[in-house]
Amino acid sequence: MEVVDKIKIKRGLMGVLLILSLIALLAGSVFVWSYVNRSVENQRKDEFLGVVDMTEERVQDTLSMLVERLYDLRGFVSTGGINSERWASYLTSIEVESRHPGLYTFAYAPVVERGKLEGFLSNVKNEERGAEYRQYSVFPETETAEVVPIRYLYTRDPDIGSLLGYDITTSEDQVVALKKAVADDVPVITDLLHIGLVIPGNTKTGYVIMLPVYSKIDIANYPKEERRQYFMGLVGTWVFPQGLLSHVDIEEVLMAKGISLTVFDGEDEFISFGSNGGDLRAVREIKLLDKTFRFEFVGERQKILDKFTESLPRLTFWGLIIINLMWMATVTSILLSRREAKKLAAEATKDLRKFKQAVEGVSDMVTITDKNGVIIYVNGMTEKITGYKKEMLLGNTPRLWGRQMDEEFYKKFWETIKEDKKPFQGEVTNKRKNGELYEAEVNISPILDDSGKLLFFVSIERDLTKIKAVERVKTEFISLASHQLRTPLSAVKWFGKMLISGDAGDLNPIQKEYVEKIYESNEKEIRLVNSLLNVSRIESGKILIEPRLTDLTKLVSSVVIDFKLEVEELGKKLTAVIDKKIPKIYIDEDQIRHVYTNLIANAVRYTKKRGKIVVKVYLSKKSVMTEVKDNGIGIPKGGQKRVFEKFFRAKNALKMETNGTGLGLFLSKIIVESSGGKMGFRSREGKGSTFWFTLPIKTKS
Amino acid sequence: MLLDEAYRRKYSEKYDMRIATDGESGLKAAKSWEPDIILLDVYLPGKFDGIDVLRELKKDTKTAMIPVLVITNLPDMVERVIVMGADKCFMKTEVDLDLIEETLDLLLEKSRR
């Protein structure tokens, strides 16, 4: 029972652990999922900001490249002696166009005093042969003291090309920039310019970056205050808004990532591409020269990362759900099987209790030892029979109350149960705690596991003390009864015989007749007592068949001869047919003689005058068959079943004769069976009976 | 005891006979008187029963050779006394005084030879 309780506790703990594991797994799953989610989110943000950073970098790069070109151009212009051909070839040589086809426009606009404007114009006309200069004029016309007309222009854009001769001082925005540029000798960017203001109907917009040109090549070596006096004009570049973004590169990247970009110059949105909405936003203030632009990026989160990374949180989520579900199913099945096991255990416990109670209460002593003979269980009877307390028995060995037999016995005993692994049965003498010896019947079975390994020995011991005592009393009683009953019978017999034979003087005929009747009755009584005592001896197991080598032919002949005279006096006929081949066999001569005597006496008794009795003895298979056949009164059908019962006498037999005891056939059958043979009969009422029995042919003891 | 009278009546004329009524006196008589034959009953009053008497008789060289005829009412004894050295044993209910006399004569004749 204790073992089962322990199992219960263990199982309870296991259930709690399983449920805890489920909770832990769930918590872990939530953590993993949120971690993956967050890191994907971070990656997305990084990617997005990376694009933003790259954009900013590109814009700055473009600008510094342009500024650099302007400085180069200033150097070129300030050397003097240029014309439109050299201008064009210079700009072609620095490969602006091949790198950024159609995007950039470079111009040189000299400062011309109003008074010298005529000369300037005629110079242009004299120097330039190009078609673009055929109509060269300074426009729009103004009254200002100085004009700054575009003298050289490098562009592929025909709209921009039409600006050749444009006086930049007519644009307020450009004048502001010009002043600032000349004052600080720095590149300056104008506000957004609309060509439409100059060329009506044109919608193009753009910025101009300008840099002052001085008549000294090494102007950088002069202090800023002095530079003003050498000022001779401006170099500038027209930048389309797209040009700032170094044209297609950035656009492609942005498109690929699904990010839309809008650039603001103050409140004016001057460029935008991509129209995707999205919840990722980034705003950058980018300062180009002294002007600040606002770049607004809007990203669609699903498009930024590659498909696999994007689906990672989802995959993780479902993966974790599956793992959780599987573990949940596992736990459920474990818990269910646990419940099943519990039920089985409870049933087993019930069974165990039942058996334990049964074993505890039986009247035999039950002892279980391990394979070394150490006692691990005893029932109540063990304490009672041996006299030792349970506490003393457990852990000890059965030698505590055994050890009374010789060594040979124990050697054989251990061989049987430990080496042959077979049950041992036998009678032993043991010793109680109080020193009293007792006889017991033991039955020890080895208990093996499936592989045949010894586990335990279960010993069942029955105290034979009481049984033996009863047996002894019975035997003593029979002895006593035997003597006490026979003593008076023999006295009657002896003295009766003396009277009859005249030892106490002659009797007159009537006296003699009476004494003879007394004698006869006494003889019958002696037979009855002998039979009765035989029966009780048999029933108490006291009949001893003591076989000796016996000549059966002789035995049967002598019995037949004993009967001969009596039979003939009765006018009946008794014959014996005995096979001469019958060998000497081992039988109890006295007992078997009793059987023959009994059967023949019956046959004689129950035949009428001129009855015929035949005794046949012959070999049949492996036994000697004897038949005693008569033509007497037979046995009525109703009584046939009970012929061999104790004290049975058939009705017709009772009518005919009262001398039988009803024990003869009963005893005969027992004697035959104890000798290893069988007995039976055939009979028809009024026709006769045949009693037969067999004896085994035993020629060796 | 009951049979003493029968023995006396039947045999006293024929044999020189002493009758002992218990084992001890019977044994004593056998040793001092040394009879030609002893008729012994198994069931005797007193400490010594017939079996003890027979054992003592056979132990003593003086009495060991005397033939003994045992009579008893205990069928188990028949075999036993023969083994112990008795010459013949009868169940009391199976014999009468005539048969005993016959047997006594037979045994006497045998021992004389």
Side-chain angles (χ1 to χ4, degrees):
Chain A
M1 255 49 49
E2 292 145 43
V3 176
V4 175
D5 288 341
K6 269 183 206 159
I7 291 170
K8 269 188 195 161
I9 291 168
K10 262 192 193 160
R11 286 184 177 285
L13 193 66
M14 200 173 135
V16 171
L17 284 176
L18 281 172
I19 287 165
L20 281 179
S21 78
L22 199 58
I23 293 168
L25 184 65
L26 267 170
S29 300
V30 169
F31 175 76
V32 167
W33 184 73
S34 66
Y35 178 79
V36 169
N37 220 14
R38 212 174 53 226
S39 56
V40 168
E41 193 62 38
N42 284 342
Q43 204 180 330
R44 177 183 291 126
K45 225 188 243 165
D46 289 350
E47 195 79 14
F48 181 65
L49 290 178
V51 171
V52 170
D53 286 346
M54 185 209 71
T55 307
E56 184 177 353
E57 224 169 83
R58 286 287 176 87
V59 171
Q60 295 287 9
D61 281 355
T62 305
L63 189 76
S64 45
M65 186 270 291
L66 283 172
V67 169
E68 228 173 87
R69 291 286 173 280
L70 285 179
Y71 275 103
D72 291 348
L73 200 55
R74 173 163 97 172
F76 170 68
V77 171
S78 59
T79 54
I82 54 165
N83 57 29
S84 61
E85 272 168 31
R86 288 183 63 201
W87 167 261
S89 69
Y90 172 78
L91 282 165
T92 307
S93 76
I94 61 170
E95 294 180 332
V96 169
E97 194 55 33
S98 66
R99 278 188 214 164
H100 310 288
L103 259 183
Y104 302 113
T105 295
F106 290 94
Y108 171 60
V111 181
V112 181
E113 285 168 31
R114 170 112 358 233
K116 293 175 181 173
L117 188 58
E118 286 304 317
F120 169 76
L121 286 171
S122 62
N123 272 352
V124 170
K125 280 182 179 149
N126 288 338
E127 286 170 19
E128 304 300 338
R129 301 278 176 266
E132 69 270 31
Y133 286 100
R134 256 174 235 159
Q135 301 281 313
Y136 186 84
S137 64
V138 173
F139 69 95
E141 283 179 29
T142 58
E143 301 290 320
T144 52
E146 285 177 344
V147 290
V148 184
I150 294 173
R151 173 69 178 86
Y152 301 109
L153 189 60
Y154 179 89
T155 183
R156 290 288 162 91
D157 191 321
D159 290 337
I160 305 296
S162 65
L163 288 174
L164 188 66
Y166 174 70
D167 175 6
I168 61 171
T169 60
T170 59
S171 159
E172 215 173 300
D173 287 333
Q174 294 196 61
V175 171
V176 172
L178 186 152
K179 280 183 178 159
K180 189 171 171 22
V182 174
D184 299 339
D185 186 17
V186 287
V188 171
I189 189 164
T190 64
D191 282 341
L192 190 64
L193 301 175
H194 296 266
I195 295 182
L197 292 175
V198 183
I199 307 160
N202 197 308
T203 57
K204 282 187 181 163
T205 57
Y207 295 91
V208 170
I209 299 168
M210 53 180 70
L211 187 67
V213 181
Y214 302 92
S215 51
K216 300 279 182 196
I217 296 178
D218 55 346
I219 193 69
N221 298 332
Y222 294 80
K224 271 192 179 166
E225 318 75 81
E226 287 177 27
R227 291 180 192 177
R228 183 78 175 85
Q229 52 189 309
Y230 306 107
F231 175 65
M232 56 181 279
L234 294 160
V235 283
T237 177
W238 174 271
V239 181
F240 284 117
Q242 297 95 314
L244 275 178
L245 298 174
S246 80
H247 57 98
V248 288
D249 288 11
I250 289 175
E251 209 175 327
E252 267 173 19
V253 173
L254 291 173
M255 295 287 271
K257 299 280 180 192
I259 298 170
S260 63
L261 170 64
T262 315
V263 183
F264 292 91
D265 175 3
E267 290 305 312
D268 297 331
E269 169 189 324
F270 77 90
I271 184 169
S272 105
F273 44 72
S275 56
N276 309 323
D279 44 5
L280 288 172
R281 286 178 66 88
V283 177
R284 281 290 164 89
E285 305 274 327
I286 299 176
K287 204 173 175 200
L288 297 175
L289 302 176
D290 50 353
K291 195 170 180 68
T292 304
F293 294 91
R294 201 166 85 247
F295 283 62
E296 281 188 19
F297 299 86
V298 176
E300 207 177 337
R301 54 173 59 241
Q302 276 79 12
K303 288 192 177 162
I304 290 168
L305 298 172
D306 60 282
K307 267 189 183 162
F308 175 73
T309 315
E310 193 55 55
S311 58
L312 210 56
R314 211 169 53 239
L315 286 176
T316 312
F317 178 77
W318 286 112
L320 289 171
I321 290 273
I322 287 166
I323 290 170
N324 270 283
L325 284 177
M326 279 168 73
W327 184 238
M328 222 182 270
T330 310
V331 167
T332 309
S333 77
I334 290 172
L335 289 178
L336 281 179
S337 68
R338 197 185 125 226
R339 190 186 292 170
E340 190 66 21
K342 246 183 187 171
K343 229 164 79 187
L344 287 175
E347 255 162 54
T349 309
K350 236 161 70 188
D351 272 359
L352 209 58
R353 282 216 175 96
K354 212 157 61 193
F355 280 116
K356 202 173 172 186
Q357 227 159 45
V359 170
E360 196 61 46
V362 292
S363 60
D364 286 348
M365 133 181 186
V366 178
T367 315
I368 302 176
T369 72
D370 67 11
K371 60 183 176 182
N372 298 317
V374 176
I375 298 167
I376 53 179
Y377 171 81
V378 293
N379 71 344
M381 217 51 195
T382 312
E383 288 185 317
K384 246 186 193 166
I385 291 175
T386 63
Y388 291 102
K389 286 275 159 219
K390 200 172 177 178
E391 297 76 44
M392 181 147 188
L393 289 164
L394 293 176
N396 220 314
T397 71
R399 259 171 281 176
L400 195 60
W401 66 90
R403 285 182 104 169
Q404 303 303 314
M405 311 291 285
D406 57 24
E407 287 203 6
E408 196 59 31
F409 174 85
Y410 290 110
K411 208 179 131 192
K412 205 182 146 203
F413 162 79
W414 280 112
E415 253 170 37
T416 308
I417 60 169
K418 208 167 180 176
E419 278 158 43
D420 302 347
K421 293 171 183 174
K422 282 185 180 145
F424 176 89
Q425 252 173 323
E427 279 192 19
V428 295
T429 304
N430 286 337
K431 195 176 185 178
R432 295 187 222 276
K433 195 185 176 194
N434 61 14
E436 185 191 330
L437 292 175
Y438 69 98
E439 278 176 274
E441 183 183 271
V442 290
N443 196 327
I444 298 168
S445 306
I447 306 295
L448 310 176
D449 67 10
D450 289 341
S451 60
K453 230 172 76 185
L454 264 177
L455 295 176
F456 313 111
F457 294 114
V458 174
S459 152
I460 297 169
E461 191 176 315
R462 174 168 294 179
D463 187 350
L464 296 177
T465 310
K466 273 183 194 160
I467 296 166
K468 295 259 164 175
V470 167
E471 244 171 53
R472 210 159 34 243
V473 168
K474 230 172 171 179
T475 311
E476 273 165 17
F477 170 78
I478 291 167
S479 271
L480 190 72
S482 186
H483 188 266
Q484 296 294 6
L485 286 171
R486 281 191 181 108
T487 302
L489 290 174
S490 46
V492 171
K493 180 180 167 92
W494 290 20
F495 286 108
K497 188 72 201 247
M498 281 168 75
L499 281 175
I500 291 166
S501 37
D503 289 333
D506 287 343
L507 301 179
N508 68 38
I510 293 173
Q511 285 169 338
K512 194 172 179 187
E513 192 193 327
Y514 290 176
V515 175
E516 272 170 355
K517 280 209 163 108
I518 292 170
Y519 186 84
E520 286 301 313
S521 298
N522 190 56
E523 283 298 296
K524 190 186 162 192
E525 188 69 13
I526 287 170
R527 273 204 304 281
L528 179 65
V529 167
N530 281 344
S531 296
L532 270 177
L533 288 172
N534 259 339
V535 170
S536 52
R537 277 154 64 88
I538 284 163
E539 286 185 344
S540 68
K542 275 283 166 187
I543 188 169
L544 287 173
I545 300 289
E546 287 177 10
R548 281 193 208 108
L549 201 56
T550 306
D551 186 344
L552 197 62
T553 310
K554 231 178 180 177
L555 191 150
V556 179
S557 305
S558 77
V559 175
V560 169
I561 287 166
D562 282 350
F563 273 99
K564 209 96 193 199
L565 197 69
E566 182 192 348
V567 170
E568 276 167 12
E569 273 173 10
L570 291 168
K572 298 176 187 180
K573 208 177 168 190
L574 170 63
T575 49
V577 185
I578 304 168
D579 191 337
K580 282 175 187 163
K581 283 180 212 156
I582 292 169
K584 286 189 174 181
I585 53 172
Y586 274 89
I587 47 170
D588 186 317
E589 192 180 339
D590 291 342
Q591 302 283 11
I592 296 301
R593 179 186 293 274
H594 188 86
V595 175
Y596 278 105
T597 306
N598 193 272
L599 291 182
I600 294 170
N602 274 353
V604 173
R605 201 172 292 154
Y606 301 117
T607 46
K608 292 173 181 169
K609 272 190 180 172
R610 296 199 184 151
K612 270 189 183 170
I613 299 123
V614 182
V615 180
K616 273 192 195 167
V617 184
Y618 58 93
L619 288 167
S620 161
K621 289 176 190 171
K622 283 180 182 175
S623 54
V624 179
M625 170 66 93
T626 299
E627 284 181 8
V628 179
K629 190 178 173 186
D630 66 61
N631 59 351
I633 58 172
I635 304 163
K637 272 231 157 119
Q640 289 195 359
K641 273 187 185 169
R642 300 179 55 206
V643 163
F644 291 112
E645 279 178 22
K646 219 176 342 186
F647 299 117
F648 170 77
R649 297 195 65 204
K651 278 180 188 167
N652 53 354
L654 280 171
K655 265 186 223 160
M656 201 179 151
E657 212 245 8
T658 50
N659 236 353
T661 58
L663 289 167
L665 285 173
F666 170 73
L667 281 170
S668 297
K669 190 164 192 261
I670 287 174
I671 290 164
V672 167
E673 284 171 358
S674 301
S675 307
K678 281 180 182 170
M679 186 172 221
F681 71 96
R682 301 181 291 275
S683 183
R684 274 178 72 191
E685 194 175 3
K687 296 276 177 182
S689 307
T690 305
F691 279 84
W692 58 264
F693 69 93
T694 61
L695 289 170
I697 300 175
K698 268 180 77 183
T699 52
K700 283 173 189 170
S701 65
Chain B
M1 289 169 281
L2 189 62
L3 299 176
D4 298 352
E5 176 58 26
Y7 294 137
R8 215 166 264 130
R9 168 76 64 177
K10 187 90 180 169
Y11 301 142
S12 55
E13 282 179 18
K14 186 171 177 182
Y15 305 113
D16 180 6
M17 182 171 63
R18 305 269 168 97
I19 294 174
T21 52
D22 63 81
E24 267 179 308
S25 60
L27 196 60
K28 224 183 257 170
K31 284 186 177 176
S32 57
W33 192 52
E34 291 182 40
D36 293 331
I37 194 159
I38 297 169
L39 179 60
L40 179 64
D41 198 330
V42 173
Y43 196 85
L44 297 171
K47 267 201 278 181
F48 271 38
D49 67 9
I51 296 294
D52 298 321
V53 172
L54 181 61
R55 191 184 301 116
E56 291 303 315
L57 285 173
K58 292 296 167 189
K59 249 195 214 166
D60 194 336
T61 45
K62 245 167 139 187
T63 53
M65 295 310 290
I66 304 170
V68 180
L69 172 59
V70 181
I71 52 166
T72 180
N73 270 326
L74 300 166
D76 293 341
M77 292 302 161
V78 178
E79 195 91 1
R80 193 164 162 200
V81 295
I82 299 295
V83 171
M84 285 177 72
D87 295 84
K88 186 80 187 169
C89 180
F90 286 122
M91 286 288 290
K92 282 186 195 171
T93 49
E94 307 300 325
V95 292
D96 51 35
L97 288 170
D98 294 336
L99 183 55
I100 290 173
E101 191 182 329
E102 260 176 53
T103 311
L104 284 174
D105 290 344
L106 209 72
L107 289 173
L108 279 169
E109 202 178 311
K110 230 164 122 187
S111 73
R112 272 185 204 121
R113 258 194 269 143

